Amino acid sequence: MNRPSWDVYFARIVENVATRSTCIRHQFGAVIVNEDKEIISTGYNGPVRGAPHCCKKDCNFCSKNVNCDIIDICLPEHRHFQPIEGFVACVKDENNIESGMGHGICPAVHAEQNALLQAGKQARKATLYVNGFPCKICARLMVNAGITRVVVSGEYTDKEGLEILKAANIEVVHVDSREESKPPEVTGAEKESVAE
C-alpha cells in the first residue's frame, strides 16, 4: 500500500482548507499540527467575522453562485463588474496594489493568523503547514507563538517572511502536495510487530 508522507498528507489538507477562502486574489489555507501528528487548528484567509466577503462580482460568469459556500472565484477578466450587494470588490485591485504589498489596507485576516488564533498556546513546538510563503507579519506571529517548523506547499511574492523564520531558526520545508504517494517507512519496532 502506498501512502503519502506526513508532510504531503497535511499539505493536501491545507488545499482543502483554502477552498473556504473568499479572497479574489489568492486562496490560502493553514493547518497547525502537534508533535503527535494531530491537527490542532486550521485557518483560511478572509475578512473578519461579520464583514462582507469579496469573492463575488455581478457578471455572467459567477453571478449564478452568489452563496459564498460555493466558491466560484471570478476570473481576472470579470473583475471590472460591480459587486453584488453584500460583497465588496478587492481593495488592493481597486488601488493597483501589487500582490505581497499593502497588508494594512486589505481587510483580510491571513490563513496563518486564523490558525494561530485558534491554536493558542497549543501552537508551541508545532508545525504549521501553509500553501504559500508566509508574509512578514505572519512569520513574526509564528516565531512568537513557538512554531518550530513551517511546511510550505506553494509560493507567494512576499519572501521577507522566510528570512524572519530563518533568522529565528525555524525549519522551513517546501513540499509538492501533488507528490506521488510512497510506501510507508517502517521503523525497527514496526518491523518487529509486522514479523509477529
Side-chain angles (χ1 to χ4, degrees), residues 30-43 111-129 138-151 165 170-171:
V31 173
I32 298 178
V33 177
N34 68 17
E35 295 171 298
D36 294 326
K37 307 290 189 238
E38 299 165 333
I39 295 174
I40 298 169
S41 67
T42 66
E112 304 96 318
Q113 294 167 351
N114 277 321
L116 288 166
L117 284 167
Q118 288 180 32
K121 291 184 179 183
Q122 293 181 62
R124 288 188 184 136
K125 297 185 180 179
T127 298
L128 188 144
Y129 292 82
C138 290
R140 290 179 190 131
L141 292 172
M142 288 179 213
V143 171
N144 279 4
I147 294 291
T148 56
R149 186 169 180 262
V150 176
V151 179
L165 296 174
I170 294 176
E171 179 186 5

Side-chain angles (χ1 to χ4, degrees), residues 47-59:
V48 296
R49 291 182 183 169
H53 295 284
C54 52
C55 67
K56 300 295 175 192
K57 300 286 185 166
D58 189 10
C59 70

Side-chain angles (χ1 to χ4, degrees), residues 4-187:
S5 67
W6 282 111
D7 285 345
V8 170
Y9 170 74
F10 289 119
R12 289 178 182 168
I13 292 173
V14 165
E15 290 177 9
N16 284 330
V17 171
T19 64
R20 290 288 305 154
S21 170
T22 58
C23 179
I24 293 170
R25 285 185 167 199
H26 301 284
Q27 289 184 298
F28 289 110
V31 173
I32 298 178
V33 177
N34 68 17
E35 295 171 298
D36 294 326
K37 307 290 189 238
E38 299 165 333
I39 295 174
I40 298 169
S41 67
T42 66
Y44 53 87
N45 59 321
V48 296
R49 291 182 183 169
H53 295 284
C54 52
C55 67
K56 300 295 175 192
K57 300 286 185 166
D58 189 10
C59 70
N60 293 334
F61 175 72
C62 62
S63 62
K64 298 171 194 150
N65 295 318
V66 175
N67 181 350
C68 261
D69 285 339
I70 304 170
I71 298 300
D72 189 4
I73 299 299
C74 288
L75 297 173
E77 60 267 24
H78 295 274
R79 291 187 184 159
H80 63 278
F81 291 90
Q82 294 300 311
I84 296 171
E85 185 178 336
F87 298 95
V88 295
C90 178
V91 176
K92 290 170 91 172
D93 280 350
E94 290 178 340
N95 291 287
N96 296 317
I97 298 172
E98 293 179 33
S99 188
M101 305 300 288
H103 297 297
I105 193 171
C106 179
V109 178
H110 293 189
E112 304 96 318
Q113 294 167 351
N114 277 321
L116 288 166
L117 284 167
Q118 288 180 32
K121 291 184 179 183
Q122 293 181 62
R124 288 188 184 136
K125 297 185 180 179
T127 298
L128 188 144
Y129 292 82
V130 63
N131 63 333
F133 299 146
C135 74
K136 56 187 163 237
I137 297 166
C138 290
R140 290 179 190 131
L141 292 172
M142 288 179 213
V143 171
N144 279 4
I147 294 291
T148 56
R149 186 169 180 262
V150 176
V151 179
V152 181
S153 59
E155 295 185 1
Y156 190 56
T157 54
D158 184 355
K159 296 180 182 173
E160 290 180 64
L162 296 175
E163 294 302 318
I164 292 168
L165 296 174
K166 183 180 175 182
N169 294 317
I170 294 176
E171 179 186 5
V172 178
V173 178
H174 194 276
V175 299
D176 183 350
S177 62
R178 298 166 296 167
E179 175 184 303
E180 292 295 319
S181 298
K182 298 176 184 174
E185 293 181 25
V186 181
T187 64

